[in-house]
């Protein structure tokens, strides 16, 4: 049995796909790289906003056209969860639409649907990684207890349910044993981990436990909702050498009026204090944020406040989304919807600012010696591509490395040049120690070393 999976959406969806593939592989299936050779095709859909739903439907139809005549097509993921009935009624192309919220259960259902044997070999923490084998996302929870006015996720995924700490640790141990060196913590809201069970210190216990796992050198926290950040805890965790001095802090806005209307449970004063504390207590931290512009009622003054705040906070990485009116959300029923052309202009303004802030950070790295995780061979213009502790895969920048290395290994490199979202450097040694040493570059130092761990 040959299985092909097309994954759409965010890293959390990718983790679900990895559980599902582990279940079918554990039942004896083989994962293949092209749809035409598969006996079963799975589309792991995204339904976050309308364009994501359209892309999911297009992918289903494309795969239906490409598949062998007798191959089966399955639809899983957020679109299947939210619109199972509608999909069953309208998509003749899809054999089965599976809608469980538990990805492991989903894997078991699929295995049965494909007639694959079960058995004790398949354990709950198994993953068939879709990322390179040296990094993996680690999902802390399902669902979300926030009810941000614009968001459909709670409608799709339900309330927040933290995974048991021991289950996450044993999954991380299995990943480390298979060569994973970087764990990237994800959930709709990672800083809420444990709160649904009344355990507010659970994130610290988890990260401390992960840092003790042999082989894990980087632990990165994404999706830290500012309202749930325990700043003392985060600053303490960032003193652990394995924890990247990088925090993804999606603020969404900085105007108090808009933050209130969005239901974000923070205000600009709290955000300001949070950024100040993180910057003053974690030396060299890089902050990432995401903002949403064009929310109903957003005036030019609200937007200006956002621009001013981003400029003041100097977020090293900024992602921007334009508001999208989603049926079923509170925001969809609000007054004062902003015209699409104004939203597009505001997206452009923030993108330009984001580029400027990022470029300043990249330029400030020239002359430093940094620890870099080598991701892959570069196809052109240098021998390898890697990342610093301040770069998450796919969403942040890369380091283009000259010298000999091996994907999945850490190296030290001297940064010679900065380009948009890219540093360029020369490998000078193996990647021991923490992320960066502030040294000036010696022009003669360009020794290529093979990392021999
Ligand atoms: S925190 Fe808000 S935006 Fe994020 S998933 Fe939960 S409801 Fe949606």
């Amino acid at each position: 049995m040959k299985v092909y999976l097309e994954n759409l959406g965010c890293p959390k969806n990718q983790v679900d796909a990895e559980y599902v593939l582990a279940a079918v592989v554990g039942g004896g299936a083989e994962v293949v790289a092209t749809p035409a050779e598969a006996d079963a095709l799975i589309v792991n859909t995204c339904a976050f906003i309308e364009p994501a739903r359209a892309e999911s439907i297009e992918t289903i139809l494309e795969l239906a056209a490409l598949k062998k005549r007798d191959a089966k097509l399955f639809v899983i993921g957020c679109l299947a969860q939210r619109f199972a009935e509608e999909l069953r009624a309208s998509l003749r192309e899809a054999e089965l639409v599976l809608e469980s919220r538990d990805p492991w259960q989903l894997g078991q259902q699929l295995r049965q649907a494909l007639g694959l044997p079960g058995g004790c070999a398949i354990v709950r923490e198994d993953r068939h990684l879709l990322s390179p084998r040296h990094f993996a996302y680690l999902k802390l929870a399902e669902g979300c207890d926030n009810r941000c006015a614009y968001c459909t996720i709670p409608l799709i995924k339900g309330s927040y349910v933290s995974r048991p700490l021991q289950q996450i640790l044993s999954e991380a141990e299995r990943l480390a044993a298979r060569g994973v060196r970087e764990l990237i913590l994800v959930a709709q809201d990672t800083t809420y981990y444990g709160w649904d069970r009344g355990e507010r210190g659970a994130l610290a216990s988890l990260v401390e436990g992960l840092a003790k796992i042999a082989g894990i050198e980087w632990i990165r926290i994404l999706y830290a909702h500012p309202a749930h950040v325990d700043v003392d805890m985060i600053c303490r965790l960032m003193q652990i050498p394995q924890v990247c001095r990088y925090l993804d802090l999606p603020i969404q806005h900085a105007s108090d009026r808009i933050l209130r209307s969005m239901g974000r449970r923070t205000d600009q004063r709290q955000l300001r204090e949070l950024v100040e504390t993180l910057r003053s207590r974690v030396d060299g931290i890089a902050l990432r944020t995401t903002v949403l512009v064009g929310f109903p009622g957003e005036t030019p003054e609200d937007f200006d406040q956002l621009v001013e705040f981003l400029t003041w906070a100097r977020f090293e990485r900024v992602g921007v989304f334009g508001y999208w009116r989603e049926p079923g959300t509170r925001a969809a029923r609000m007054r004062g919807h902003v015209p699409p052309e104004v939203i597009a202009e505001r997206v452009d303004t923030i993108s330009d600012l984001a580029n400027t802030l990022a470029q300043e950070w990249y330029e400030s790295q020239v002359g430093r010696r940094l620890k870099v995780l080598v991701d892959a061979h570069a196809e052109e213009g240098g021998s390898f591509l890697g990342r610093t502790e301040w770069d998450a895969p796919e969403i942040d920048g890369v380091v283009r490395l000259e010298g000999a290395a091996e994907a999945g290994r850490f190296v030290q490199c001297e940064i010679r040049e900065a380009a948009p979202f890219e540093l360029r450097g020369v490998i000078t040694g193996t990647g021991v120690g923490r992320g960066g040493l502030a040294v000036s570059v010696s022009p003669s130092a360009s020794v290529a070393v093979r990392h021999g761990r």
Side-chain angles (χ1 to χ4, degrees), residues 190-204:
T190 48
T191 36
Y192 195 72
Y193 177 66
W195 289 35
D196 57 316
R197 297 192 299 241
E199 297 165 14
R200 294 203 168 195
L203 182 63

Side-chain angles (χ1 to χ4, degrees), residues 144 146-148 150-151 153-154 188-189 225 252 264:
C144 189
N146 304 310
R147 293 290 181 268
C148 302
Y150 50 84
C151 182
I153 294 289
Q188 302 304 335
D189 179 354
H225 191 307
Q252 306 304 356
R264 292 293 295 173

Side-chain angles (χ1 to χ4, degrees), residues 23-40:
V24 294
V25 169
E30 177 197 348
V31 179
V32 292
T34 52
E37 56 181 318
D39 305 303

Side-chain angles (χ1 to χ4, degrees), residues 60 62 68 70 86 89 107 131 165 193 245 248 374 407 446:
I60 296 166
E62 268 169 30
K68 290 194 292 197
D70 54 347
E86 293 88 331
S131 55
L165 186 125
Y193 177 66
R245 290 165 295 169
D248 168 40
V374 180
S446 64

Side-chain angles (χ1 to χ4, degrees), residues 255-291:
S255 145
D256 286 350
R257 225 174 51 78
I258 297 296
L259 284 168
R260 209 174 312 116
S261 179
M262 285 177 165
R264 292 293 295 173
R265 304 177 206 190
T266 45
D267 58 28
Q268 193 181 120
R269 187 186 54 80
Q270 289 166 334
L271 294 174
R272 213 170 261 273
E273 277 177 18
L274 190 51
V275 170
E276 273 171 350
T277 311
L278 289 166
R279 293 231 186 264
S280 67
R281 287 177 49 191
V282 185
D283 193 25
I285 192 171
L287 297 174
R288 176 176 185 84
T289 196
T290 313
V291 298

Side-chain angles (χ1 to χ4, degrees), residues 108-122:
Q108 306 313 305
Q109 285 177 32
L110 252 159
R111 227 189 52 238
Q112 279 173 11
L114 293 173
L116 296 167
C120 53
I122 304 163

